Amino acid sequence: MKPEIQGFFDPATSTITYVVFERDGGACAVIDSVLDYDPKAGGTSTASADRVVDFIRQHGLKVEWLLETHAHADHLSAAPYLQEKIGGRIGIGSGIRTVQHAFSHVFARKGQHDGSQFGRLFEADEEFAIGALTARALHVPGHTPADMAYQIGDAVFVGDTLFMPDVGTARCDFPGGSASQLYQSIRRLLSLPAETRLFMCHDYPPAGRGPAWEVTVAEQRSANIHVRDGVTEADFVAMRNARDATLAMPVLILPAIQVNISAGQLPEAEENGVRYLKIPLNAF
Ligand SMILES: [Fe+2]
């Protein structure tokens, strides 16, 4: 079963949004949508999401799912905007409850920590349908405790686990992250058949190549600079932890997390009609 796949690269956040579909006129899922956010102006825009809407309309697709691989720290989700425009249920891993709980103090967040903001919470290995396509939610913790990958036919949307072979792997230093868990999650993905198509959630291309997001299991096993075959868990954990100690927090982590743990819903407007994000001081 080979789904049709269209990727949309967002140069501002290096995120790839995917439309996965049966065929023109068939069912589809959107994975990891982006609401554009300019932190200097506090401005949102739907240019990236509208590219996805246009594609879906041009191809006559019926949106069944708006999937998130995890609560992203680098961009705001456009899932509620897409839902209003084109429908679909918002799905994420059930571990999002842990992430909501972990961040409830940081943001003095009222609301529920039961994941009820989302339309569907996937348990590990749970199967679901996208039209006639069978999809499976794989629990791949490490970057966050709640990360999921989505296996749809011969394709896997890996979320923040692997990056392209010349970039390596996702960081593991956010609350609840674990380099050891990420190693185990990645080995599980790399135990899939060699020809399995893997689709990255981000790409940070080194100088000299343009953005790319598709690679096979075989290519990752032979060439990934962090986790190719032969790299031991101990070596990986030492490398990952040392590297993470040098990384600054993502520019949008504070705006992104508070919105994304609420399934992309923006905060309610105050009496003056303006919505406000919260910036906790010294919380990280
Ligand atoms: Fe992430």
Side-chain angles (χ1 to χ4, degrees):
M1 198 176 40
K2 239 174 135 66
E4 301 286 331
I5 295 163
Q6 177 68 47
F8 297 85
F9 181 74
D10 170 35
T13 66
S14 303
T15 303
I16 299 104
T17 298
Y18 294 99
V19 176
V20 187
F21 57 109
E22 294 177 295
R23 61 185 176 280
D24 279 16
C28 79
V30 179
I31 302 177
D32 290 332
S33 63
V34 174
L35 181 71
D36 304 309
Y37 177 69
D38 171 3
K40 298 196 191 81
T44 63
S45 116
T46 58
S48 291
D50 287 332
R51 285 198 294 163
V52 174
V53 171
D54 289 347
F55 179 87
I56 284 168
R57 288 186 174 152
Q58 279 160 14
H59 291 263
L61 303 177
K62 178 178 172 295
V63 181
E64 297 195 348
W65 295 102
L66 302 166
L67 303 174
E68 301 286 344
T69 54
H70 62 295
H72 299 276
D74 56 274
H75 69 268
L76 280 63
S77 168
Y81 173 77
L82 291 178
Q83 190 170 47
E84 192 190 306
K85 288 272 175 187
I86 51 178
R89 282 170 82 188
I90 304 175
I92 198 165
S94 63
I96 190 64
R97 293 180 292 225
T98 313
V99 177
Q100 289 179 328
H101 197 76
F103 282 101
S104 62
H105 280 299
V106 174
F107 294 111
R109 189 171 170 275
K110 299 191 183 79
Q112 302 290 326
H113 308 147
D114 58 2
S116 56
Q117 301 84 351
F118 295 84
R120 174 82 176 260
L121 298 180
F122 297 109
E123 300 298 335
D125 295 323
E126 200 173 333
E127 286 194 353
F128 59 102
I130 305 167
L133 298 170
T134 300
R136 183 194 295 265
L138 308 176
H139 184 216
V140 288
H143 173 65
T144 78
D147 270 59
M148 303 304 272
Y150 296 105
Q151 184 173 18
I152 305 171
D154 71 323
V156 180
F157 300 85
V158 302
D160 276 4
T161 55
L162 292 157
F163 293 147
M164 291 301 282
D166 56 355
V167 182
T169 56
R171 66 194 296 174
C172 294
D173 57 333
F174 297 152
S178 159
S180 169
Q181 281 189 341
L182 184 66
Y183 183 87
Q184 297 296 336
S185 296
I186 287 173
R187 291 322 304 182
R188 184 178 173 207
L189 293 175
L190 296 185
S191 71
L192 292 166
E195 65 281 8
T196 305
R197 295 185 289 165
L198 302 178
F199 291 86
M200 308 300 108
C201 178
H202 292 291
D203 188 36
Y204 308 97
R209 78 156 169 84
W213 46 80
E214 179 181 348
V215 65
T216 64
V217 161
E219 288 166 320
Q220 289 284 20
R221 289 183 64 162
S222 69
N224 188 288
I225 59 170
H226 293 168
V227 286
R228 64 185 173 277
D229 285 359
V231 176
T232 66
E233 179 172 335
D235 287 345
F236 175 77
V237 169
M239 177 286 302
R240 191 65 264 171
N241 289 341
R243 185 167 159 69
D244 287 347
T246 70
L247 300 177
M249 281 294 131
V251 176
L252 296 188
I253 186 168
L254 293 171
I257 291 284
Q258 63 193 286
V259 167
N260 293 340
I261 60 176
S262 296
Q265 289 293 344
L266 298 175
E268 293 290 334
E270 298 198 11
E271 298 85 75
N272 60 359
V274 178
R275 301 175 197 270
Y276 292 84
L277 293 168
K278 281 185 181 170
I279 302 298
L281 299 180
N282 307 313
F284 285 100

